[in-house]
Amino acid sequence: MSILLRAWTIFHPPTPGKTPISPEPGSKTGPVRIGLLGAANIAPIALLLSARSCPDAEVTVVGARSLQKAQAFAKRHGVGRAVQGYEAVLSDPEVDAVYNPLPNGLHYEWTMKALQAGKHVLLEKPATNTPGEAERIFAFAKEKGLVVLEAFHYQFHPAAQRLHAIVSSGELGRVQKITAHLTAPSGFIKPDDIRFQYALGGGAAMDMGCYVTSISRYLAGREPVEVIKAEPVLQDPGREPLVDRRMEFTYLFPALEGEERGPTAECVCDLSLPGWGPGGLLPRWPEMSVRVLCEAGEAGLNNFVMPVFFHSISVRSAKGRRTERAFTFGKGEGEQWWTTYRYQLQAFVDKVKGREPQHWITGEDTVGNMRAVQMVYEKSGLGARPESDFEL
């Protein structure tokens, strides 16, 4: 399938017939009925488009602080109902699960409220502002018998899993160094964006940095023991002296048996990469790559965040060089046009329905990622993001 055909199908997906919705919330016979907390810009690509082609998912309602905003969003994106306020979504008996794409600083409060209301939660990354908040979320979810999934969508795609399989197979020997970059050109994210507000858990290492942290941990197969360096570039020192626009940081992972030294991961994240040329007028191209240097070769994946549009997995060893691409798992698992979000949604509804998902991100993994991100902030001198004062 060509890139143009894939792109067309992503935005015009087939809509298979839905099983009639069961009147019982949480029923395993009908689609999982999902409510949106907020009319977030990420929701259409992260959930709504995927739900159109997923017979196991139905987005039934959107709630926003403004009813008018919720109604406009529902009309634009074909959501059946709009309500005012997030509480209205949580109290809706026709909602089995919620998608929480609210600002980072609100993730903890509204995820805990959703669990208290008996709803499963698909939770945007980073899950929380601190590892302690993440621990409490998953402890409460276990107590309530509910599903919470942090939305590191890239891990559900065959491309990332293929790179992981190559690295973990031993084909290239032990991992020595991982390099992960995720940057956006200047102007893509506006200066007043919530990502630059400390009170809402803002900062590059929280936003794009949680991705490069996640993929580094995923490929290293262990938790970092130290942040060797963390060098921030501040967004607006006058107004937000603790918010990084850019962060360069290096993790050290522990040595396993037979290793003299554990691998490192050199990470770069930037929410507003300055342009180049005269006056910096020419925009930079986004960076979305990861490379793994091993004892006997190296492997890399470009565009690990949106591989459905284009990507390549490059492998170099003493045997030569090769390039691979992976859009499906074969055996009827997935389609070439499935986005990372579509694979993720399938895993989420499988878990909610009691089926074994193809891949999963555990609560322990989420807590580990938040610990690693917090280590970066402590090393940088900016300190951890503020904990929520919400209590059940």
Side-chain angles (χ1 to χ4, degrees):
M1 178 180 282
S2 70
I3 184 174
L4 292 178
L5 184 54
R6 281 198 302 274
W8 169 264
T9 313
I10 288 167
F11 293 101
H12 303 83
T15 52
K18 305 275 188 177
T19 303
I21 297 177
S22 166
E24 294 298 324
S27 167
K28 295 183 179 180
T29 60
V32 175
R33 299 166 295 183
I34 303 173
L36 298 182
L37 298 183
N41 292 333
I42 189 65
I45 186 65
L47 178 63
L48 295 174
L49 285 173
S50 297
R52 289 182 192 172
S53 65
C54 181
D56 289 321
E58 182 101 26
V59 180
T60 58
V61 63
V62 55
R65 287 176 295 178
S66 161
L67 179 58
Q68 291 74 19
K69 184 175 182 180
Q71 289 173 330
F73 183 94
K75 182 178 180 180
R76 186 181 313 118
H77 298 292
V79 179
R81 292 184 294 119
V83 295
Q84 183 169 6
Y86 311 141
E87 292 282 7
V89 177
L90 301 185
S91 62
D92 192 328
E94 295 186 1
V95 169
D96 306 316
V98 297
Y99 172 53
N100 183 352
L102 298 171
N104 301 340
L106 299 179
H107 282 183
Y108 176 72
E109 175 181 352
W110 288 99
T111 298
M112 292 294 276
K113 286 180 176 179
L115 294 172
Q116 190 174 41
K119 313 300 185 185
H120 306 283
V121 183
L122 178 58
L123 176 59
E124 263 306 330
K125 55 81 212 161
T128 54
N129 274 6
T130 69
E133 291 177 343
E135 287 176 338
R136 291 192 290 276
I137 281 176
F138 284 96
F140 192 40
K142 182 178 181 180
E143 177 187 324
K144 299 282 285 185
L146 295 167
V147 173
V148 177
L149 173 63
E150 185 181 20
F152 274 117
H153 54 98
Y154 80 89
Q155 274 194 36
F156 294 87
H157 195 273
Q161 292 189 35
R162 177 56 186 153
L163 176 64
H164 181 269
I166 292 169
V167 171
S168 61
S169 71
E171 171 190 350
L172 303 175
R174 296 182 184 274
V175 175
Q176 295 182 327
K177 185 173 79 171
I178 299 165
T179 304
H181 287 200
L182 186 57
T183 67
S186 178
F188 184 75
I189 298 174
K190 303 303 179 185
D192 60 351
D193 192 276
I194 58 173
R195 294 172 179 85
F196 295 132
Q197 297 180 35
Y198 175 76
L200 293 177
M206 282 287 284
D207 190 80
M208 292 184 172
C210 74
Y211 274 105
V212 291
T213 292
S214 172
I215 199 165
S216 296
R217 293 172 52 255
Y218 180 52
L219 295 172
R222 59 196 101 168
E223 297 295 338
V225 293
E226 181 186 349
V227 176
I228 298 173
K229 75 165 189 178
E231 300 174 352
V233 175
L234 302 186
Q235 162 62 14
D236 188 344
R239 290 192 303 172
E240 294 284 359
L242 300 178
V243 174
D244 49 311
R245 186 214 83 208
R246 176 185 178 90
M247 187 78 79
E248 296 186 29
F249 52 99
T250 302
Y251 289 116
L252 174 64
F253 293 90
L256 301 181
E257 185 177 353
E259 296 179 343
E260 293 184 7
R261 177 183 169 87
T264 58
E266 298 180 356
C267 302
V268 176
C269 55
D270 198 321
L271 295 174
S272 188
L273 194 65
W276 63 283
L281 296 177
L282 301 176
R284 300 275 185 178
W285 190 255
E287 298 176 286
M288 297 179 284
S289 64
V290 61
R291 301 203 66 78
V292 186
L293 178 65
C294 302
E295 292 173 316
E298 63 179 314
L301 170 61
N302 71 335
N303 197 17
F304 72 92
V305 178
M306 296 184 291
V308 68
F309 292 105
F310 67 90
H311 75 269
S312 63
I313 304 164
S314 59
V315 183
R316 178 187 61 80
S317 69
K319 297 179 180 179
R321 298 173 181 266
R322 71 178 189 270
T323 299
E324 300 183 17
R325 291 177 177 80
F327 293 98
T328 68
F329 294 108
K331 299 180 182 179
E333 295 181 86
E335 300 285 348
Q336 286 230 347
W337 53 270
W338 276 22
T339 64
T340 53
Y341 296 110
R342 178 62 179 84
Y343 279 108
Q344 175 181 263
L345 179 60
Q346 190 63 57
F348 179 68
V349 296
D350 282 346
K351 193 75 167 182
V352 169
K353 285 176 167 288
R355 303 191 295 245
E356 186 66 28
Q358 189 276 332
H359 181 73
W360 194 249
I361 295 173
T362 65
E364 291 81 3
D365 192 357
T366 292
V367 172
N369 212 65
M370 292 312 307
R371 284 200 186 106
V373 169
Q374 185 158 297
M375 287 166 61
V376 171
Y377 275 113
E378 297 293 354
K379 182 71 174 181
S380 74
L382 299 181
R385 306 297 89 176
E387 279 230 339
S388 171
D389 58 7
F390 171 75
E391 295 182 6
L392 282 175

